[in-house]
Amino acid sequence: MLIVNSFEEYESYLGKELGISQWHKIDQDQINKFADATLDHQWIHVDREKAENEGPFKSTIAHGYLTLSLIPYLWKQIADIRNTKMEINYGIEYFKFGQPVLVDHEIQLKAKLISITNLRGTTKVVIESILVIKDQPKPAYTGEVVFLYHFL
């Protein structure tokens, strides 16, 4: 777990790998709850029988946006940014989905600091994010997440 207490400490990691989260298994219950929350009940996600018999992956798959929504959860396993009064999820950029995450597969987030800027007291960081699927050669996605921090 990376611990960062200030802008200067954060800046020292520029261009470096920050860490890798723990493995997280995406099960059908999580997929179904995400479908309910987003009103996206496409059969490829929620109908196991049809997905197994008619789908291209022979399994249900996680919503792409479900995998994106896990970034804050997985990020908190990589870095503990301390001495802040606020942290804001500011943006996501340049995301490409490489392959779907099948039900019951495990994923983990790899993070690298690619830029850090002091915007008059607000720290803007851009984190390269790669979602790895266990035992798969291609990641689920690659892209950049942008966070804003207000250090004390």
Side-chain angles (χ1 to χ4, degrees):
M1 167 76 69
L2 175 69
I3 296 173
V4 175
N5 292 292
S6 66
F7 174 86
E8 293 76 21
E9 281 184 28
Y10 220 149
E11 190 175 39
S12 72
Y13 292 100
L14 184 60
K16 297 179 182 172
E17 297 290 333
L18 301 175
I20 302 171
S21 72
Q22 298 172 11
W23 290 106
H24 174 77
K25 183 177 181 179
I26 297 184
D27 62 20
Q28 191 63 51
D29 184 56
Q30 184 173 24
I31 292 170
N32 292 345
K33 287 177 180 175
F34 189 83
D36 289 342
T38 61
L39 307 176
D40 181 357
H41 294 94
Q42 186 181 163
W43 66 267
I44 194 77
H45 304 301
V46 297
D47 188 335
R48 287 189 99 154
E49 185 176 326
K50 186 172 182 177
E52 288 171 6
N53 294 320
E54 300 176 34
F57 309 108
K58 303 301 178 201
S59 171
T60 54
I61 62 171
H63 303 73
Y65 288 123
L66 165 57
T67 63
L68 287 177
S69 75
L70 290 171
I71 290 172
Y73 168 74
L74 298 170
W75 171 243
K76 295 291 185 198
Q77 296 174 19
I78 296 170
D80 182 5
I81 313 303
R82 298 181 178 176
N83 297 320
T84 61
K85 57 183 172 180
M86 190 178 341
E87 174 184 333
I88 298 169
N89 297 322
Y90 190 65
I92 56 175
E93 301 173 343
Y94 313 113
F95 268 83
K96 300 282 186 204
F97 292 100
Q99 70 176 21
V101 177
L102 280 57
V103 67
D104 295 327
H105 277 199
E106 293 181 70
I107 56 166
Q108 69 179 176
L109 185 69
K110 288 185 177 183
K112 177 181 179 180
L113 180 60
I114 58 175
S115 79
I116 182 167
T117 309
N118 185 344
L119 304 171
R120 292 172 284 152
T122 299
T123 299
K124 177 183 172 187
V125 298
V126 179
I127 308 293
E128 176 185 72
S129 302
I130 300 171
L131 193 71
V132 174
I133 306 169
K134 193 174 206 173
D135 300 323
Q136 296 297 310
K138 289 175 52 177
Y141 59 66
T142 58
E144 299 173 1
V145 292
V146 184
F147 298 120
L148 297 180
Y149 297 96
H150 298 271
F151 284 100
L152 298 174

